[in-house]
Amino acid sequence: KNGAGNAGGLIFNNPNGYFTSHILENSAWDFIPYTSAAENCIKKADAVYFGTLALRKAYSENTILDLIDAAPARAYKFFDVNLRQNYYSLRIIRKLLEKADILKLNAEELKIIKNILSLTGSPENICLKLKETYQLKYVILTNMAKESFIWGDDCISSLQNGQLQQTFAYGAGNAFAGTFMSALLRGYTLHEAHEKANQTAIEVCLATQKS
């Protein structure tokens, strides 16, 4: 196993090519304070990006939820699920879904969401159900970097990367999300934003493959 520091955790490369992480307790993100500087900053935001992990402790949970509420109504609220170990709950997932207008999850996380929310049907049907129930503008489903799908208001964008050898890398999902959000804010269409996000994720995977 090859371990590396990762913002309060350790990353391990498993023989099957997947990565697992051991998240250390009492990390910096467990004690995020609500400050006037943070409030002033988020009141000017065009987009807010959040996930479940940083809400594992009540102190940071309260801060993050309050900051999301302080963001302008026009700002995108991007919920990147990022389920890790046991640091999530039905309560947190529902609360964040209610605040989001963009949802991103991978194939493994979809299985957990399906069970925890007692949903049935195909992956597409579940994504469309989540979109309808929580009035989401976009739902993004990825299968590592092999393929990804984005459901918008009246269309779907899908991309496959059949020739990519390294289809997983820590950071690829975040790179995808950040690029997609940036592209939307710059006025790109859904499919154009998807293509840009996909290419960024590929580049992260290729960089990992070379290292």
Side-chain angles (χ1 to χ4, degrees):
K1 295 180 179 180
N2 298 317
N6 180 39
L10 297 174
I11 301 172
F12 298 100
N13 189 353
N14 290 333
N16 62 7
Y18 288 83
F19 287 75
T20 58
S21 56
H22 174 64
I23 311 297
L24 302 181
E25 293 282 352
N26 298 318
S27 297
W29 69 59
D30 293 322
F31 305 98
I32 301 172
Y34 191 103
T35 64
S36 58
E39 181 180 354
N40 291 335
C41 180
I42 207 156
K43 283 182 176 179
K44 303 172 185 176
D46 294 313
V48 183
Y49 179 78
F50 50 89
T52 53
L53 184 56
L55 280 73
R56 65 179 180 172
K57 301 289 186 181
Y59 187 92
S60 288
E61 176 188 336
N62 293 333
T63 296
I64 292 171
L65 293 178
D66 287 345
L67 286 173
I68 294 172
D69 289 340
R74 60 173 172 75
Y76 285 109
K77 281 75 174 184
F78 195 128
F79 176 23
D80 195 348
V81 177
N82 283 334
L83 302 181
R84 298 287 185 269
Q85 294 175 211
N86 62 338
Y87 298 125
Y88 60 88
S89 66
L90 173 61
R91 179 184 67 83
I92 288 296
I93 289 172
R94 278 184 170 162
K95 190 176 291 287
L96 293 180
L97 280 169
E98 289 166 358
K99 294 184 180 296
D101 49 31
I102 299 178
L103 172 67
K104 176 179 170 291
L105 68 172
N106 63 35
E108 292 303 311
E109 291 163 345
L110 180 66
K111 294 176 183 178
I112 297 173
I113 294 292
K114 176 180 179 179
N115 290 331
I116 203 169
L117 294 179
S118 300
L119 300 173
T120 58
S122 67
E124 179 176 5
N125 289 338
I126 292 170
C127 287
L128 290 173
K129 179 66 175 178
L130 290 169
K131 187 176 183 300
E132 177 185 6
T133 300
Y134 294 98
Q135 299 182 321
L136 301 166
K137 294 178 181 177
Y138 302 100
V139 175
I140 303 168
L141 176 63
T142 64
N143 182 10
M144 298 189 289
K146 295 177 181 177
E147 58 184 354
S148 53
F149 307 87
I150 304 179
W151 289 270
D153 286 338
D154 54 6
C155 62
I156 176 175
S157 177
S158 62
L159 292 172
Q160 285 78 38
N161 301 313
Q163 304 302 315
L164 188 62
Q165 294 180 344
Q166 174 71 32
T167 57
F168 179 87
Y170 261 99
N174 292 337
F176 185 108
T179 303
F180 179 75
M181 189 73 271
S182 175
L184 284 185
L185 291 171
R186 289 157 58 197
Y188 286 93
T189 67
L190 169 60
H191 190 67
E192 289 170 342
H194 189 183
E195 287 182 322
K196 288 182 175 296
N198 182 66
Q199 185 58 42
T200 303
I202 288 174
E203 290 171 4
V204 173
C205 290
L206 291 175
T208 302
Q209 181 178 326
K210 294 176 182 177
S211 62

